[in-house]
Amino acid sequence: MLVTKTVPPIRIKEAMDLGYSLFGENRVQEAVGKYAGTDLGRSEIPIIGHLQRNKVKPMLRFASCLQSVDREALVVALERHVDPSSPLDVLIQVNTSLEDSKYGVPPEALWSLAERVEQSRHLRLQGLMTIGRLGASPEEARPGFRLLRELRDELLRRGFPKATELSMGMSRDLEVAIEEGATLVRVGTAVFGTRPTSDLDYWPPSRNG
Ligand SMILES: *Cc1c(COP(=O)(O)O)cnc(C)c1O
């Protein structure tokens, strides 16, 4: 997946012309503005950032998938707006690096959230997502990626047969993520170059730099 937050539409169009069709966005407001009136062709736009409940409705106008389900209140808000005749694909975001990250469900709370999503006619649980630990070296992300894979395997054993996806790995740690079994890597900087520094709003900066 190409992550296109802060990337202007003209560059996204270039990527589309090269055959890419999966574009991850963090912020609903930014994405709505960018894609309104754009011919997306067969492109898909998953949302990969923390979602406020009041952004659910505008998100549903364009998002193909929500990768950042992390709490029951969000599930409730989704049920209010998703048409059960076309359920929304979702991933549950797990916080695999508790000391660094403020988003994602803690691993021990995954099971009840997964049950809750699975019971919903409005949502289809496709797997798990995590942001790797932003440490000094990509290797520091490995234990979190491994944990996500183990959690996914346990989900499959517990009777969530469709929860196969492992969305993990970004520009700096995608090789490690792939070694640990990622089915989807989310790449921004390595393709589009460095983003503006306001980018740090998108997730909490690491204490380790
Ligand atoms: C920005 C972002 C990415 C991509 O990060 P890069 O380091 O630019 O590859 C991936 N996942 C999420 C959730 C992001 O917010």
Side-chain angles (χ1 to χ4, degrees):
M1 172 197 302
L2 297 184
V3 176
T4 47
K5 64 189 180 206
T6 78
V7 176
I10 189 160
R11 300 199 62 205
I12 299 172
K13 179 71 170 54
E14 281 173 10
M16 283 180 190
D17 291 345
L18 291 169
Y20 288 93
S21 57
L22 188 60
F23 300 101
E25 286 282 343
N26 280 63
R27 287 180 170 171
V28 169
Q29 225 148 337
E30 177 188 337
V32 166
K34 261 166 39 178
Y35 293 97
T38 311
D39 177 17
L40 290 175
R42 58 189 185 86
S43 300
E44 293 178 30
I45 307 173
I47 287 291
I48 59 175
H50 183 74
L51 189 69
Q52 307 289 339
R53 282 179 288 171
N54 64 1
K55 296 296 187 314
V56 164
K57 220 173 146 183
M59 173 202 67
L60 291 171
R61 289 210 294 268
F62 65 90
S64 59
C65 168
L66 175 61
Q67 296 210 344
S68 48
V69 172
D70 59 0
R71 60 205 192 279
E72 181 166 356
L74 182 57
V75 174
V76 172
L78 288 163
E79 286 175 326
R80 205 167 294 141
H81 296 291
V82 175
D83 175 357
S85 69
S86 64
L88 181 71
D89 287 346
V90 299
L91 304 185
I92 293 180
Q93 181 174 357
V94 182
N95 186 344
T96 54
S97 60
L98 291 173
E99 71 279 19
D100 282 348
S101 181
K102 64 180 181 199
Y103 298 129
V105 67
E108 65 276 11
L110 169 62
W111 316 112
S112 59
L113 188 60
E115 291 283 354
R116 181 67 185 78
V117 170
E118 188 75 0
Q119 281 158 13
S120 173
R121 293 179 303 124
H122 306 71
L123 306 176
R124 267 195 313 232
L125 181 60
Q126 304 284 359
L128 302 177
M129 183 273 241
T130 200
I131 295 177
R133 182 153 194 244
L134 302 170
S137 126
E139 278 301 319
E140 289 186 35
R142 189 183 295 276
F145 293 155
R146 187 165 295 170
L147 173 61
L148 198 73
R149 169 162 50 87
E150 288 165 359
L151 293 170
R152 191 273 319 262
D153 293 347
E154 180 64 22
L155 268 185
L156 294 174
R157 274 195 296 274
R158 290 190 186 202
F160 299 85
K162 299 210 180 77
T164 53
E165 295 287 343
L166 278 180
S167 171
M168 58 190 195
M170 315 195 298
S171 296
R172 67 193 308 273
D173 52 22
L174 66 91
E175 286 92 350
V176 175
I178 290 168
E179 283 166 10
E180 293 299 331
T183 62
L184 184 69
V185 292
R186 308 180 305 267
V187 182
T189 315
V191 171
F192 294 108
T194 319
R195 287 179 297 267
T197 47
S198 62
D199 170 52
L200 288 177
D201 300 349
Y202 285 98
W203 65 76
S206 163
R207 277 191 303 237
N208 304 315

